[in-house]
């Protein structure tokens, strides 16, 4: 093979490898919603019962509390009432020590399903219950087909919220999850325009 042909073959190989790598990067970025525009719009959220446990610490560990709530619901045969996870976050981890960040992590339950008997069962299993009233929020929605996609969404949405002059953090941010299967999973990031929720543990930090 002539030297020129060899150089051409090598160049084409490198070009093909580069193109394949670019496609992989593009597909990964698309799957992680890196190109999705963050758009906040007003809507009303809440209007359901919230079954939860309290958390204090580094927010990256809050998933353990969601798992605890699921196990407690399964143990008392109440998991069928859960309509999806909800997290309420009371502190800004950029300005609050990691060990002092507070949250409530749990699930939403329809008000019609919150019977006196159900409340008693939840209380017996160390689960808190409160009604989250409807509240106007600025929200944005993101798909999360994987845990990594959710992390990317969180890292993108909160800085965008702090940069948005319409979002005043008058109430604690709330994340409402719709868990289906893989690509159909979605999370709604909600930023209340008024004090929220009624079970607020204290002043917001940052």
């Amino acid at each position: 093979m002539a030297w020129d042909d060899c150089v051409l073959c090598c160049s084409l190989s490198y070009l093909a490898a580069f193109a394949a790598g670019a496609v992989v990067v593009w597909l990964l970025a698309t799957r992680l919603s890196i190109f999705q525009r963050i758009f906040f719009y007003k809507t009303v959220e809440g209007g359901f019962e919230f079954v939860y446990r309290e958390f204090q610490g580094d927010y990256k560990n809050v998933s353990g509390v969601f798992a605890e709530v699921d196990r407690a619901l399964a143990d008392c045969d109440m998991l069928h009432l859960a309509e999806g996870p909800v997290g309420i976050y009371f502190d800004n981890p950029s300005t609050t020590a990691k060990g002092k960040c507070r949250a409530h992590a749990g699930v939403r339950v329809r008000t019609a399903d919150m019977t006196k008997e159900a409340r008693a069962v939840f209380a017996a299993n160390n689960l808190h219950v409160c009604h989250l009233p409807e509240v106007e929020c600025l929200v944005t929605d993101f798909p999360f087909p994987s845990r990594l996609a959710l992390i990317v969404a969180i890292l993108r949405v909160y800085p965008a919220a702090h940069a948005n002059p319409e979002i005043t953090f008058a109430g604690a941010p709330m994340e409402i999850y719709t868990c289906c299967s893989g690509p159909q999973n979605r999370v709604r990031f909600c930023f209340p325009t008024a004090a929220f929720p009624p079970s607020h543990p204290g002043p917001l930090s940052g």
Side-chain angles (χ1 to χ4, degrees):
M1 181 182 293
W3 173 253
D4 288 347
D5 290 338
C6 184
V7 170
L8 178 60
C9 287
C10 289
S11 298
L12 290 175
S13 297
Y14 286 131
L15 182 60
F18 177 79
V23 169
V24 169
V25 170
W26 181 83
L27 289 173
L28 180 61
T30 300
R31 186 169 176 78
L32 297 179
S33 301
I34 289 175
F35 300 132
Q36 178 169 319
R37 188 168 76 95
I38 299 175
F39 172 72
F40 294 100
Y41 62 95
K42 283 186 179 180
T43 189
V44 174
E45 281 297 345
F48 52 79
E49 307 301 314
F50 184 37
V51 180
Y52 66 96
R53 282 185 177 167
E54 297 176 350
F55 170 85
Q56 182 170 319
D58 192 331
Y59 280 153
K60 71 179 182 181
N61 298 322
V62 74
S63 60
V65 181
F66 283 107
E68 285 180 12
V69 171
D70 276 354
R71 284 195 298 271
L73 291 172
D75 289 344
C76 64
D77 198 27
M78 288 289 189
L79 190 57
H80 63 285
L81 296 182
E83 292 201 315
V86 174
I88 302 177
Y89 301 89
F90 297 98
D91 299 293
N92 181 350
S94 297
T95 57
T96 304
K98 288 183 178 181
K100 294 185 178 180
C101 290
R102 299 161 298 169
H104 290 168
V107 297
R108 61 187 184 276
V109 173
R110 292 190 312 148
T111 299
D113 292 331
M114 189 56 71
T115 63
K116 183 177 180 180
E117 292 75 16
R119 287 182 180 274
V121 171
F122 293 142
N125 285 270
N126 299 314
L127 294 168
H128 303 289
V129 178
C130 75
H131 177 73
L132 292 182
E134 291 186 341
V135 62
E136 183 184 67
C137 299
L138 281 155
V139 308
T140 189
D141 301 300
F142 262 80
F144 69 102
S146 66
R147 183 179 177 85
L148 181 57
L150 177 59
I151 293 172
V152 170
I154 290 170
L155 291 176
R156 292 190 63 207
V157 168
Y158 283 97
H162 279 282
N164 189 318
E166 290 188 87
I167 297 178
T168 62
F169 291 89
M174 175 170 60
E175 297 171 8
I176 300 177
Y177 296 84
T178 301
C179 298
C180 303
S181 58
Q184 303 304 315
N185 292 342
R186 299 193 69 82
V187 56
R188 171 166 289 182
F189 296 91
C190 309
F191 299 91
T193 59
F196 182 85
S199 56
H200 204 304
L204 278 173
S205 171

